[in-house]
Amino acid sequence: MTTPVCTSASNAAAPATQTLAYPSFASFMRARQPVLLRTARSLTGNPSDAEDLLQTALTKTFVAWERIQDHGALDGYVRRALVNTRTSQWRKRKVDEFACDEVPEPEPLPAGDDPAEQQALRDAMWRAVMRLPARQRAMVVLRYYEDLSEVQTAEVLGVSVGTVKSAVSRALGKLRDDPELGVVRS
């Protein structure tokens, strides 16, 4: 047997002096929102969409708050509103794909723009930088990865600008001669 949710279902089934489990909609929402949000997340798969879905379902519940007699069935009422709202959203979604006679081919990438090759070069470069002595590595990272000037690099490391220039020059020479980078460049 089901419990009547709305007053229009059956006034005789509920006693006249029924105590409400939740004295106000706000108290219900504060108490049950985390549980209902988990349900909404399971319906949408996206936290942001779940929050929007729950907000819509709670709005519908607020509108019907005065008609709901059995506050023990509020969770079921909101869950049904969640499912119905999600189903309506799914039915109204816009389809952005259209059938066509020919399958469009993507434009080929220019020779030097292959993402796999670029990533291989970045990885090889980083391994080569990691093989530099600590002081040279710090200067190269500050100059070229952090994009600091020679003066700023000298200030950060507490050395003279000339020391930065000479150490970076030696480090770049080592990077040019690195055998792993030579294989990637060719």
Side-chain angles (χ1 to χ4, degrees):
M1 184 172 151
T2 60
T3 306
V5 176
C6 296
T7 57
S8 61
S10 172
N11 286 337
T17 60
Q18 178 182 4
T19 58
L20 300 177
Y22 299 102
S24 69
F25 176 76
S27 65
F28 166 73
M29 189 183 71
R30 278 191 299 275
R32 302 304 296 163
Q33 185 175 11
V35 173
L36 295 170
L37 185 58
R38 282 194 298 271
T39 303
R41 282 189 184 155
S42 68
L43 289 171
T44 62
N46 179 341
S48 298
D49 291 341
E51 290 172 359
D52 292 342
L53 178 63
L54 180 59
Q55 183 69 36
T56 303
L58 288 174
T59 301
K60 291 177 180 182
T61 304
F62 178 75
V63 169
W65 186 257
E66 296 299 322
R67 293 187 321 244
I68 301 172
Q69 279 187 339
D70 184 6
H71 281 208
L74 281 171
D75 277 358
Y77 185 93
V78 176
R79 283 192 175 97
R80 175 50 52 195
L82 285 168
V83 170
N84 291 345
T85 303
R86 184 64 180 153
T87 302
S88 295
Q89 290 172 348
W90 178 77
R91 286 179 180 154
K92 291 177 186 176
R93 78 182 191 283
K94 181 180 176 184
V95 178
D96 291 333
E97 296 178 12
F98 302 99
C100 59
D101 294 334
E102 294 181 28
V103 177
E105 295 295 326
E107 293 293 323
L109 295 172
D113 289 344
D114 182 22
E117 289 178 13
Q118 290 177 353
Q119 185 61 45
L121 180 60
R122 281 192 293 273
D123 291 345
M125 177 60 78
W126 189 248
R127 285 191 301 272
V129 168
M130 294 305 291
R131 285 191 293 271
L132 291 172
R135 185 174 170 148
Q136 288 179 356
R137 182 174 54 240
M139 291 183 189
V140 167
V141 168
L142 290 173
R143 272 293 283 130
Y144 298 104
Y145 283 88
E146 296 295 324
D147 201 26
L148 297 181
S149 68
E150 291 169 341
V151 173
Q152 291 170 324
T153 303
E155 288 174 3
V156 168
L157 296 175
V159 296
S160 69
V161 175
T163 302
V164 171
K165 288 181 180 182
S166 63
V168 167
S169 177
R170 282 192 301 276
L172 292 177
K174 288 180 183 181
L175 292 174
R176 278 188 212 99
D177 295 337
D178 190 284
E180 187 179 357
L181 290 177
V183 171
V184 176
R185 277 184 266 149
S186 57

